[in-house]
């Protein structure tokens, strides 16, 4: 029986620990420690609990999974399955889940939490590599030998074999599978032992058996930087990318008892910005150029960076995305000033402040009164859901283009 607990909350929602519930005091303590190690950016500590912010995703503490979902509606009883599907779809579009074979229908039905998507794809990729045959590679090995083999390391030999004169501390080449790339994949499998659901345990154990002779080392970011993919090992790319996500988001130092912590969190403002760009880029016409995160010098060492810039042969438009619910369709003063600067600096005719839609209507284009330049700005709202379903990305793109 699967004993793992699962809690779903929305962004900005509060979660308090209660000894009679699934979220306990030791879970709270681990989350506080994790948040402190990251400058308290992921959530706010409140009395006997947590208040989530703009970060969405998954926090898994041993047997407890907490999934934080985005929400762009005013419904207190919002459909959590719908917003989980929205998050999964946005991650897929933004290539944070690089799973071309998974359809939107599968994303809706198959997974308990978004971490399960990563876990299953990791096992699928490792299994595929094992069936194909793990690549051997020459590597340098340093060890004590009963016979001189390769190059004698004098300093280490004196240190190791002062008494055992019959031994030689040598460096020699070995042709096998026990090298850094496979050690990284092995570490990812070992981490999954603490977090994976029961339905995937058999597959995980079979793969761990294939890796049982590999060395278990402490993998850090620097190890991933050492990996160079070439024509021989290019097939490892997807497995390596998922391993990097699993290993670098794993916090074994935050354990309470036998429970470790694994996180996969995304700033919803950044995710919304990238999602809108990728949707526009995918469905643009040949006459439109769409660019993302343009950056230019502004003042001294400060730079200016609009979210998305659209260019046609005759016009330039700037889109500034904002993931928040606003009731009025009048822009705030600070937003207007920011968009006016974008108009001037990027020589844009129009700028658009783009929000997720609940029940608002777009504003009309208003004109900036400055030297009769005729620069314009408005608020726009786009719905990424269609009643109880995710809206097709082509429809989303068409709706945004029509606003300009």
């Amino acid at each position: 029986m699967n004993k793992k607990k699962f809690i779903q909350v929305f962004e900005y929602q509060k979660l308090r620990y209660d000894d009679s519930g699934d979220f306990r005091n030791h879970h709270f303590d681990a989350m506080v420690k994790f948040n402190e190690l990251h400058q308290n950016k992921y959530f706010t500590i409140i009395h006997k609990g947590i208040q989530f912010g703009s970060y969405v995703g998954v926090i898994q503490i041993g047997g407890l999974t907490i999934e934080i979902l985005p929400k762009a509606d005013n419904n207190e009883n919002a459909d959590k399955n719908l917003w989980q599907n929205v998050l999964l779809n946005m991650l897929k579009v933004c290539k944070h889940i690089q799973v071309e074979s998974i359809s939107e229908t599968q994303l809706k039905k198959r997974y308990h939490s978004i971490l399960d998507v990563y876990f299953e794809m990791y096992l699928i990729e490792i299994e595929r590599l094992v069936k194909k045959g793990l690549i051997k590679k020459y590597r340098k090995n340093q060890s004590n030998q009963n016979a001189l083999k390769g190059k004698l390391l004098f300093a280490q030999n004196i240190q190791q074999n002062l008494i055992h004169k019959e031994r030689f501390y040598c460096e020699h080449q070995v042709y096998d599978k026990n090298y850094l790339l496979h050690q990284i994949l092995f570490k990812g499998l070992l981490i999954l032992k603490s977090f994976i659901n029961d339905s995937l345990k058999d597959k995980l154990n079979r793969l761990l058996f294939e890796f049982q002779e590999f060395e278990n080392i402490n993998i850090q970011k620097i190890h991933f930087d050492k990996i160079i993919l070439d024509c021989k090992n290019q097939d490892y790319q997807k497995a390596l990318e998922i391993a990097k996500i699993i290993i670098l988001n794993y916090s074994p130092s935050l354990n309470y008892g036998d429970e470790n912590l694994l996180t996969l969190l995304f700033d919803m403002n950044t995710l919304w910005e990238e999602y809108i760009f990728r949707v526009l880029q995918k469905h643009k016409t040949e006459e439109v150029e769409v660019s993302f995160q343009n950056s230019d010098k502004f003042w001294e060492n400060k730079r200016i960076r609009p979210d998305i810039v659209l260019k046609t042969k005759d016009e330039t438009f700037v889109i500034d995305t904002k993931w928040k619910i606003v009731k009025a369709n009048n822009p705030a003063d600070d937003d207007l000033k920011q968009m006016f600067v974008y108009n001037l600096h990027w020589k844009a005719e129009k700028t658009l402040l783009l929000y997720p839609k609940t029940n608002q209507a777009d504003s009309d284009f208003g004109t900036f009164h400055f030297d009769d330049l005729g620069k314009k700005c408005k608020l726009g709202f786009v719905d990424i859901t269609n009643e109880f379903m995710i809206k097709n990305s082509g429809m989303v793109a068409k709706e945004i283009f029509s606003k300009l």
Side-chain angles (χ1 to χ4, degrees), residues 35 47 68 70 91 103 113 146 185 219 225 231 286 297 312 343 347 351 355 380 391 398 401:
N35 203 39
H47 179 62
I68 309 107
L91 292 173
S103 67
S113 81
N146 292 324
L185 301 184
I219 302 295
D225 296 337
C231 58
E286 292 182 0
K297 292 180 180 178
T312 66
N343 276 117
K347 298 180 174 61
T351 50
Y355 296 85
K391 185 179 288 186
K398 183 178 179 180
F401 283 125

Side-chain angles (χ1 to χ4, degrees), residues 1-8 21-24 27 59-67 112-113 259:
M1 180 178 177
N2 195 337
K3 298 180 180 179
K4 292 185 180 296
K5 307 296 184 180
F6 183 56
I7 298 173
Q8 282 182 313
D22 292 334
F23 184 53
R24 304 293 184 89
H27 299 131
I59 300 171
Q60 190 160 335
I61 313 167
L64 175 66
T65 301
I66 302 172
E67 188 171 70
H112 193 46
S113 81
E259 295 184 335

Side-chain angles (χ1 to χ4, degrees), residues 102-156:
I102 291 183
S103 67
E104 291 185 9
T105 302
Q106 288 173 310
L107 286 176
K108 292 177 185 178
K109 296 180 178 179
R110 287 178 55 189
Y111 300 103
H112 193 46
S113 81
I114 64 171
L115 266 180
D116 292 334
V117 181
Y118 287 87
F119 292 164
E120 182 167 358
M121 283 311 305
Y122 188 58
L123 296 181
I124 290 171
E125 281 299 303
I126 300 294
E127 186 177 51
R128 182 181 64 81
L129 293 171
V130 168
K131 288 180 178 178
K132 188 176 180 180
L134 299 178
I135 300 171
K136 290 185 177 182
K137 181 181 177 181
Y138 283 106
R139 63 181 178 88
K140 291 182 179 179
N141 182 54
Q142 295 181 1
S143 62
N144 256 327
Q145 301 289 328
N146 292 324
L148 184 60
K149 184 178 182 180
K151 180 174 68 175
L152 181 66
L153 301 177
F154 290 98
Q156 292 92 328

Side-chain angles (χ1 to χ4, degrees), residues 78-304:
D79 185 349
K80 290 179 178 177
N81 288 332
L82 172 63
W83 288 103
Q84 184 193 54
N85 294 334
V86 168
L87 177 57
L88 283 167
N89 185 60
M90 292 178 75
L91 292 173
K92 181 184 176 185
V93 169
C94 295
K95 302 189 184 301
H96 294 297
I97 300 178
Q98 297 188 3
V99 189
E100 293 78 7
S101 60
I102 291 183
S103 67
E104 291 185 9
T105 302
Q106 288 173 310
L107 286 176
K108 292 177 185 178
K109 296 180 178 179
R110 287 178 55 189
Y111 300 103
H112 193 46
S113 81
I114 64 171
L115 266 180
D116 292 334
V117 181
Y118 287 87
F119 292 164
E120 182 167 358
M121 283 311 305
Y122 188 58
L123 296 181
I124 290 171
E125 281 299 303
I126 300 294
E127 186 177 51
R128 182 181 64 81
L129 293 171
V130 168
K131 288 180 178 178
K132 188 176 180 180
L134 299 178
I135 300 171
K136 290 185 177 182
K137 181 181 177 181
Y138 283 106
R139 63 181 178 88
K140 291 182 179 179
N141 182 54
Q142 295 181 1
S143 62
N144 256 327
Q145 301 289 328
N146 292 324
L148 184 60
K149 184 178 182 180
K151 180 174 68 175
L152 181 66
L153 301 177
F154 290 98
Q156 292 92 328
N157 188 60
I158 293 172
Q159 183 181 7
Q160 298 283 335
N161 300 321
L162 187 61
I163 298 176
H164 298 280
K165 303 292 185 181
E166 75 283 2
R167 296 179 184 173
F168 303 89
Y169 198 88
C170 307
E171 180 180 89
H172 61 281
Q173 283 194 329
V174 178
Y175 185 64
D176 64 7
K177 302 173 184 177
N178 186 24
Y179 56 93
L180 182 58
L181 182 54
H182 291 145
Q183 290 164 356
I184 288 174
L185 301 184
F186 180 40
K187 175 60 75 173
L189 291 173
L190 289 174
I191 291 173
L192 258 59
K193 289 177 66 177
S194 301
F195 300 104
I196 206 161
N197 62 51
D198 287 351
S199 64
L200 297 175
K201 280 185 177 178
D202 286 344
K203 182 178 288 189
L204 172 63
N205 289 332
R206 289 197 303 271
L207 293 175
L208 283 171
F209 179 79
E210 299 288 341
F211 281 76
Q212 62 181 328
E213 296 182 358
F214 290 7
E215 188 178 356
N216 178 16
I217 65 173
N218 184 26
I219 302 295
Q220 305 291 335
K221 183 179 182 299
I222 189 173
H223 293 98
F224 289 96
D225 296 337
K226 293 178 180 179
I227 298 294
I228 299 175
L229 294 176
D230 53 31
C231 58
K232 293 182 179 179
N233 59 14
Q234 188 65 37
D235 210 24
Y236 283 72
Q237 182 175 357
K238 186 178 290 185
L240 188 64
E241 288 172 350
I242 304 175
K244 186 174 184 179
I245 291 169
I246 293 171
I247 294 170
L248 298 187
N249 287 284
Y250 172 61
S251 302
S253 60
L254 302 180
N255 64 315
Y256 286 79
D258 58 353
E259 295 184 335
N260 296 322
L261 188 143
L262 180 64
T263 61
L264 190 63
L265 298 170
F266 305 89
D267 186 336
M268 198 57 210
N269 295 296
T270 304
L271 190 62
W272 173 241
E273 175 186 334
E274 185 179 354
Y275 172 76
I276 295 299
F277 161 72
R278 290 189 180 275
V279 164
L280 294 177
Q281 178 72 12
K282 180 179 180 180
H283 298 284
K284 70 180 181 66
T285 62
E286 292 182 0
E287 294 78 21
V288 179
E289 176 187 331
V290 183
S291 56
F292 182 49
Q293 294 187 340
N294 297 266
S295 181
D296 200 1
K297 292 180 180 178
F298 181 56
W299 178 84
E300 295 294 335
N301 62 342
K302 294 184 180 294
R303 302 185 70 85
I304 185 172

